[in-house]
Amino acid sequence: MSDNQKGNDDIAAMSFEQALDQLEKIVASLETGDVPLNRSIEIYERGEALKTHCEKLLKAAEDRIEKIRLDRNGGVAGTEPLDAE
């Protein structure tokens, strides 16, 4: 395992909101241009890991969402998986 992977082990335990908050901070830091090149590369790689984690959590949430079907009387007839479009 590389040093960078060890430094990103904490990401797997993060909630979506925590990971997104860190990702936003990384983007802001990189946009300022005040970060040395080597550090920029490190935080960019962490940002990629955070982005991947956020995408994984979003996909899991989408998989859990169900579309509600209504019967003729307006009552709930059942549920079906959300169409992934």
Side-chain angles (χ1 to χ4, degrees):
M1 181 179 288
S2 73
D3 288 341
N4 193 44
Q5 286 175 317
K6 289 178 189 173
N8 291 336
D9 285 348
D10 63 320
I11 292 173
M14 287 183 184
S15 69
F16 176 80
E17 292 78 10
Q18 291 169 324
L20 186 59
D21 181 58
Q22 279 202 15
L23 187 54
E24 288 171 346
K25 289 176 183 174
I26 286 173
V27 169
S29 176
L30 290 173
E31 286 179 344
T32 65
D34 295 336
V35 182
L37 180 60
N38 285 343
R39 181 70 182 134
S40 292
I41 293 169
E42 289 172 9
I43 63 176
Y44 178 84
E45 290 172 343
R46 182 166 177 84
E48 282 293 316
L50 287 162
K51 178 181 139 306
T52 299
H53 181 65
C54 285
E55 288 171 343
K56 178 181 167 189
L57 292 174
L58 283 173
K59 175 68 174 132
E62 288 174 355
D63 290 346
R64 293 181 58 195
I65 294 172
E66 293 181 326
K67 183 172 30 175
I68 298 173
R69 294 181 305 176
L70 301 178
D71 63 19
R72 288 186 214 170
N73 299 324
V76 176
T79 61
E80 61 187 61
L82 177 70
D83 294 332
E85 293 181 28

